[in-house]
Amino acid sequence: MKIGDKVRFLSESGGGTVAGFQGKNIILVEDEDGFQIPTPINDVIVVQTDDYSTGKVVAPNVQKPTSMKSALSEIPDEEEEQEDDPAEKEITFRSPVEERKGGDQLSCYLAFVPIDIKNVTNTPFESYFINDSNYYVRYTYLSAEGKNWTLRSTKEVEPNTKEFIEQFSRAELNELEHVAIQVIAYKREKSFLLKPTMDTQFRIDSVKFYKLHTFQDNDFFEQPALLYTIVENDVVARPLVVDVNQLKNEMYQKVSLDHTSVAQKQSASAETYVRRYDDKKTNQKPFLTKRRGDEDVVVVDLHADELLDTMIGMDATDILRYQLKKFKDILAQYKDKKGQRVIFIHGKGEGVLRRSIINELNYRYKKYSYQDASFQEYGYGATQVTIH
């Protein structure tokens, strides 16, 4: 077969002229409209005429052997015949990858999706690897039992796609208590910026899989899912394994100051508030309570240990996102109650949550007024919002 030969397709009607070759097993067939169609070489046959429906097949010119010995000598060796069979050769043609704007920053996620979200206490789950970038990603997914690791899956994931890993039942959740993801990113047939190899470990809290609010709406699935960030915008996730009691003690500990300073009194007020607030709890770890005798003020504690039963497996971004969601939910709940005052307790810390709240108030809730809440009532780290 050579360029210029007229061929006919075997698996469908039509044909064309051989315009070129791609590798050893793909030919380019040019049809009457000038389009070149990549086609496996074993899916076409040469014909003698342009009429594909009536054309004769070119029969090979086989010379009749003169003896049995010569006939046997012309039978090809079985191994040689297998090597030359086009059907056994690997197809090397790949359609070009469509890249999206902003996709050169690597973002990958591990996702858990309940099969029946309406029956979350009994349903099995599916796990997926999400590649939200223009890179090909080769990942390995492992689980640990003590100090020993087991490989659960390893695959190459094409750009901007998700790959199914496995389906598992609730009985298998204990096997996923400690998992790790290793990632290598690259592009094919073009130059690219080198991304470092990544190795991220997660603590998967099996209790979360029994709670409906664990699974959130997302951009990758039509149904709610639990996402763990492996890398986002080239930043590798650093999951936090937090001792809730230790965190609370550190947040509420009394700062040692000069006994003559005014700050001493303010610190004492903060501790007084903590005791008073703890006394008002009527349910286990409520995130919202009302001040006694002052029903027009709503107090919302946004501390992570008040909102969440556990923070194992959640990184700082996950916690902040959940806190802001509660902040927005409360404002949506009271949006029609003009004059309502809401106290959001966010703590001092590094000020990340407070800055995020102020940013939301300045741009999303411009018509609401806000100010620092009373130091004597709520200590440092509280903001009062008034609904207008």
Side-chain angles (χ1 to χ4, degrees):
M1 188 177 298
K2 61 184 183 298
I3 294 177
D5 285 347
K6 291 184 173 61
V7 294
R8 184 181 67 189
F9 299 136
L10 294 177
S11 61
E12 59 183 298
S13 62
T17 304
V18 177
F21 298 86
Q22 287 186 349
K24 296 181 179 180
N25 60 333
I26 300 292
I27 66 170
L28 298 176
V29 179
E30 183 173 326
D31 62 13
E32 59 184 7
D33 295 324
F35 292 100
Q36 294 185 0
I37 306 170
T39 307
I41 195 170
N42 61 330
D43 196 34
V44 299
I45 189 168
V46 179
V47 296
Q48 290 181 333
T49 176
D50 291 335
D51 185 358
Y52 304 128
S53 61
T54 59
K56 287 185 177 182
V57 176
V58 176
N61 185 16
V62 180
Q63 186 176 7
K64 187 176 180 180
T66 56
S67 65
M68 180 64 71
K69 182 178 180 180
S70 60
L72 293 173
S73 66
E74 292 181 4
I75 298 177
D77 184 79
E78 184 176 354
E79 292 184 0
E80 294 179 357
E81 184 177 1
Q82 290 179 352
E83 291 178 358
D84 295 334
D85 186 0
E88 298 295 329
K89 296 180 180 179
E90 181 183 358
I91 297 176
T92 58
F93 174 76
R94 289 177 179 267
S95 58
V97 173
E98 293 186 7
E99 296 190 347
R100 61 178 178 81
K101 185 177 180 181
D104 281 345
Q105 287 189 317
L106 194 63
S107 294
C108 299
Y109 307 90
L110 176 63
F112 296 102
V113 183
I115 293 179
D116 183 5
I117 189 65
K118 296 180 180 179
N119 187 22
V120 71
T121 57
N122 297 305
T123 182
F125 300 89
E126 293 179 339
S127 56
Y128 290 83
F129 182 92
I130 300 171
N131 177 15
D132 189 25
S133 73
N134 293 335
Y135 283 76
Y136 285 86
V137 170
R138 167 69 65 177
Y139 77 86
T140 57
Y141 176 49
L142 310 100
S143 61
E145 184 176 354
K147 295 183 178 180
N148 298 321
W149 289 88
T150 301
L151 178 66
R152 303 185 72 89
S153 175
T154 178
K155 293 179 183 178
E156 180 187 71
V157 186
E158 294 186 352
N160 301 301
T161 59
K162 57 180 180 283
E163 184 73 28
F164 173 77
I165 297 177
E166 62 181 350
Q167 179 177 319
F168 59 92
S169 65
R170 290 196 173 277
E172 299 172 283
L173 271 173
N174 291 334
E175 300 176 13
L176 301 176
E177 189 174 293
H178 188 188
V179 300
I181 295 281
Q182 298 171 325
V183 171
I184 300 176
Y186 49 89
K187 291 188 179 182
R188 295 182 178 274
E189 300 175 354
K190 64 185 301 184
S191 61
F192 57 90
L193 295 177
L194 183 64
K195 305 292 184 182
T197 57
M198 302 164 200
D199 183 351
T200 303
Q201 298 184 30
F202 299 100
R203 293 284 184 179
I204 307 298
D205 183 9
S206 59
V207 176
K208 284 187 175 183
F209 289 77
Y210 290 87
K211 299 180 179 180
L212 187 60
H213 72 266
T214 295
F215 304 95
Q216 302 288 329
D217 294 335
N218 57 89
D219 296 329
F220 308 108
F221 301 92
E222 293 182 358
Q223 64 268 45
L226 170 60
L227 299 184
Y228 286 87
T229 301
I230 301 167
V231 55
E232 191 168 56
N233 296 327
D234 285 340
V235 179
V236 181
R238 299 296 181 190
L240 299 178
V241 179
V242 181
D243 185 323
V244 175
N245 294 325
Q246 180 181 356
L247 176 65
K248 183 174 180 179
N249 290 335
E250 290 177 355
M251 292 170 67
Y252 290 149
Q253 67 182 352
K254 182 177 180 180
V255 180
S256 177
L257 298 172
D258 184 0
H259 67 281
T260 60
S261 66
V262 178
Q264 239 187 347
K265 296 180 180 179
Q266 294 171 335
S267 177
S269 296
E271 289 187 338
T272 302
Y273 160 68
V274 173
R275 289 195 300 271
R276 182 167 62 251
Y277 179 75
D278 287 343
D279 290 342
K280 290 180 183 178
K281 292 183 179 179
T282 55
N283 299 317
Q284 186 178 9
K285 290 191 175 180
F287 68 87
L288 185 149
T289 185
K290 290 187 177 182
R291 287 172 52 197
R292 293 175 181 173
D294 194 358
E295 292 299 317
D296 64 330
V297 176
V298 175
V299 180
V300 182
D301 195 338
L302 294 178
H303 283 119
D305 61 319
E306 294 294 338
L307 296 178
L308 299 163
D309 294 331
T310 177
M311 288 172 278
I312 296 176
M314 298 181 71
D315 58 25
T317 302
D318 296 331
I319 295 172
L320 178 61
R321 186 183 295 118
Y322 193 81
Q323 290 170 316
L324 288 177
K325 181 180 182 300
K326 289 298 181 185
F327 168 77
K328 295 174 184 177
D329 289 346
I330 293 299
L331 290 184
Q333 180 180 347
Y334 290 95
K335 65 179 181 178
D336 297 326
K337 193 172 181 180
K338 306 302 181 183
Q340 176 68 59
R341 288 179 292 162
V342 184
I343 307 296
F344 291 100
I345 301 172
H346 42 68
K348 291 177 63 178
E350 297 179 359
V352 177
L353 178 56
R354 181 183 185 277
R355 289 197 300 270
S356 299
I357 288 175
I358 299 303
N359 183 70
E360 291 288 333
L361 290 169
N362 286 335
Y363 293 97
R364 187 185 295 268
Y365 305 98
K366 292 182 179 180
K367 61 181 181 179
Y368 297 167
S369 60
Y370 67 91
Q371 65 187 60
D372 289 335
S374 169
F375 294 147
Q376 292 184 349
E377 283 290 321
Y378 306 103
Y380 287 104
T383 297
Q384 175 179 299
V385 179
T386 303
I387 307 296
H388 294 292

